[in-house]
Amino acid sequence: MVRGVNARTGARRAEQVAATEQRLVTSATTLFLRDGYVGTTLSAVSAHAGLAPRTLYLRFPTKGDLFRRVMDAAVAGGGALVGAFGAGVGGREEVGPPGPQRGGKLVDRGR
């Protein structure tokens, strides 16, 4: 009987962990698309998700780790978000050479 209780508790905990990760990935996706990689902070992601920053850092120690998970989810979901990351969102596109010198800014082209 104790095994059944532990198994149920373990399954419930695994569901909670997965749901928390999904909240973080969804919030990160929204912010990366809206603000770009450079403009998105882990603090902003945790606030957007309604979670403590510690919760985010326990799962994703760096912004790069979180971004990789966002991209993995985008590719697994059929790649629609990958196109959005590459093309900009809502008539915006990246301008200038890639790299830190322009800070990953998006500009509105008035489309």
Side-chain angles (χ1 to χ4, degrees):
M1 185 140 187
V2 172
R3 279 190 160 159
V5 171
N6 288 337
R8 283 193 302 270
T9 302
R12 187 170 47 243
R13 179 69 186 130
E15 289 172 6
Q16 290 172 339
V17 168
T20 297
E21 182 174 320
Q22 185 58 47
R23 283 173 62 186
L24 291 167
V25 169
T26 299
S27 291
T29 300
T30 299
L31 296 178
F32 284 135
L33 286 170
R34 186 186 75 195
D35 302 333
Y37 182 85
V38 173
T40 299
T41 65
L42 292 180
S43 294
V45 172
S46 64
H48 189 272
L51 298 167
R54 178 173 164 76
T55 302
L56 182 144
Y57 283 104
L58 286 171
R59 181 63 189 98
F60 301 103
T62 69
K63 185 165 46 169
D65 293 332
L66 180 57
F67 187 75
R68 278 187 289 282
R69 179 64 183 90
V70 166
M71 294 307 294
D72 288 346
V75 170
L81 280 177
V82 174
F85 275 107
V89 179
R92 301 181 305 172
E93 64 183 53
E94 290 192 46
V95 294
Q101 58 274 42
R102 70 179 172 80
K105 298 291 182 191
L106 297 174
V107 296
D108 192 347
R109 291 292 190 193
R111 291 185 227 175

